[in-house]
Amino acid sequence: MASTHILSAYDEELKYLTRRISEMGGLAEQMCADAVRALVNSDTALAQKVISDDVILDHAEREIQDKAIVTIAKRQPMAADLREIVGTLRIAADLERVGDLGKNTAKRVIAVQGTGVPRKLARGIEHLSELALVQLKEVLDVFSNRSVQKAEAIRQRDEEIDAMYTSLFRELLTYMMEDPRNITTCTHLLFCAKNIERIGDHATNIAETIYYMATGAQPEGERPKDDTSNTVGAVLTNE
């Protein structure tokens, strides 16, 4: 967090941005959790709530953008203060996309309602979402305390979500190959699984932004990746 300024109004503007990011994060996290719950329980009412909540999240991002632009214009921030505001804009954009991914998952609930989600596949979806949502929750906590070490640790854990996604991708393809009647449901679930995996990517983006806000530098090296879903089809064909 930036240091205290002579103008208390400046501090209030920065605090406002921080508070709104925290509120956006809480809503995005809840939307994604509710979307998965709606999916595995065929709860169309809950799915509709998620879709409706996306409007609130979009509005919050626009408020942050407007406030940040006005603050830059009025205060002409430099160094840490400028990183603070630019970082806030980047995080708001990531959280808006997280909300979109939750909404897109919720939209699939009606499509799979007729057949339901097989319990084994539901467990895989739930496990993947648990990993992604823990990642999101922890990075939002890091946004509050600005721990560079924790931000870097979260960045390094992204491959765990990738590996789980690849495993679920393989399982869904197997279900489709075993019984063509599963193709429609499993195709929708593939999109849902990818949405959830992308939530983890956005959490990692936020961790990298926090690192930049705190240090003024980008994290070194490529982020770890373990998404090998592009090779799964070839492997299954040869088995």
Side-chain angles (χ1 to χ4, degrees), residues 165-204:
Y165 166 69
T166 299
S167 174
L168 183 57
F169 186 95
R170 182 188 180 106
E171 191 169 2
L172 285 163
L173 287 187
T174 300
Y175 262 75
M176 285 191 265
M177 293 172 68
E178 289 176 348
D179 188 343
R181 290 173 298 181
N182 294 330
I183 290 175
T184 299
T185 296
C186 287
T187 299
H188 287 295
L189 294 179
L190 279 171
F191 280 109
C192 292
K194 186 59 181 177
N195 288 341
I196 296 167
E197 186 269 337
R198 287 289 296 144
I199 291 168
D201 287 340
H202 284 289
T204 304

Side-chain angles (χ1 to χ4, degrees), residues 158-166 197 201 224-227:
D158 187 52
E159 61 183 340
E160 185 180 355
I161 296 173
D162 289 343
M164 180 62 200
Y165 166 69
T166 299
E197 186 269 337
D201 287 340
K225 300 296 291 182
D226 197 19
D227 178 2

Side-chain angles (χ1 to χ4, degrees), residues 4 6 10 15 29 46 63 76 92 109-110 132 134 138 141 145 161 168 172 176 193 220-221 236 238:
T4 303
I6 295 173
Y10 190 5
K15 287 177 183 177
E29 187 180 348
L46 184 58
E63 280 190 342
Q76 297 183 355
V109 173
I110 295 175
V134 165
E138 288 185 359
D141 290 341
N145 59 43
I161 296 173
L168 183 57
L172 285 163
M176 285 191 265
E220 294 183 2
L236 289 176
N238 292 327

Side-chain angles (χ1 to χ4, degrees), residues 1-230:
M1 182 63 69
S3 58
T4 303
H5 301 91
I6 295 173
L7 293 175
S8 61
Y10 190 5
D11 286 324
E12 288 305 315
E13 289 164 4
L14 295 177
K15 287 177 183 177
Y16 171 86
L17 292 173
T18 299
R19 183 172 68 253
R20 292 298 279 149
I21 286 292
S22 297
E23 291 168 355
M24 274 193 79
L27 179 56
E29 187 180 348
Q30 187 62 53
M31 285 174 62
C32 294
D34 285 347
V36 172
R37 192 176 304 112
L39 181 68
V40 299
N41 295 325
S42 298
D43 189 336
T44 54
L46 184 58
Q48 189 55 56
K49 180 181 181 300
V50 173
I51 295 168
S52 299
D53 283 346
D54 187 58
V55 177
I56 301 173
L57 201 66
D58 290 347
H59 179 70
E61 187 200 12
R62 286 193 295 271
E63 280 190 342
I64 288 172
Q65 289 175 340
D66 291 344
K67 188 70 170 181
I69 290 169
V70 170
T71 301
I72 290 172
K74 286 198 308 184
R75 310 300 181 188
Q76 297 183 355
M78 299 177 65
D81 289 341
L82 184 58
R83 292 201 306 271
E84 185 75 20
I85 297 171
V86 170
T88 297
L89 286 169
R90 285 166 55 176
I91 292 172
D94 275 307
L95 290 175
E96 189 275 334
R97 284 297 299 135
V98 168
D100 283 346
L101 293 166
K103 177 186 69 175
N104 292 344
T105 299
K107 286 181 174 180
R108 302 275 173 182
V109 173
I110 295 175
V112 301
Q113 189 178 25
T115 57
V117 180
R119 189 59 214 155
K120 185 177 180 182
L121 295 179
R123 283 197 298 269
I125 292 282
E126 287 171 331
H127 186 197
L128 181 63
S129 70
E130 285 168 6
L131 291 177
L133 289 174
V134 165
Q135 190 96 321
L136 182 61
K137 181 181 185 305
E138 288 185 359
V139 83
L140 291 171
D141 290 341
V142 173
F143 176 73
S144 298
N145 59 43
R146 302 301 165 86
S147 169
V148 173
Q149 292 76 18
K150 289 182 179 178
E152 181 62 25
I154 289 172
R155 181 175 182 264
Q156 293 298 324
R157 288 204 335 253
D158 187 52
E159 61 183 340
E160 185 180 355
I161 296 173
D162 289 343
M164 180 62 200
Y165 166 69
T166 299
S167 174
L168 183 57
F169 186 95
R170 182 188 180 106
E171 191 169 2
L172 285 163
L173 287 187
T174 300
Y175 262 75
M176 285 191 265
M177 293 172 68
E178 289 176 348
D179 188 343
R181 290 173 298 181
N182 294 330
I183 290 175
T184 299
T185 296
C186 287
T187 299
H188 287 295
L189 294 179
L190 279 171
F191 280 109
C192 292
K194 186 59 181 177
N195 288 341
I196 296 167
E197 186 269 337
R198 287 289 296 144
I199 291 168
D201 287 340
H202 284 289
T204 304
N205 289 347
I206 294 171
E208 291 178 343
T209 298
I210 294 169
Y211 186 98
Y212 165 75
M213 292 166 76
T215 67
Q218 300 292 343
E220 294 183 2
E222 295 292 326
R223 68 172 65 171
K225 300 296 291 182
D226 197 19
D227 178 2
T228 57
S229 57
N230 62 307

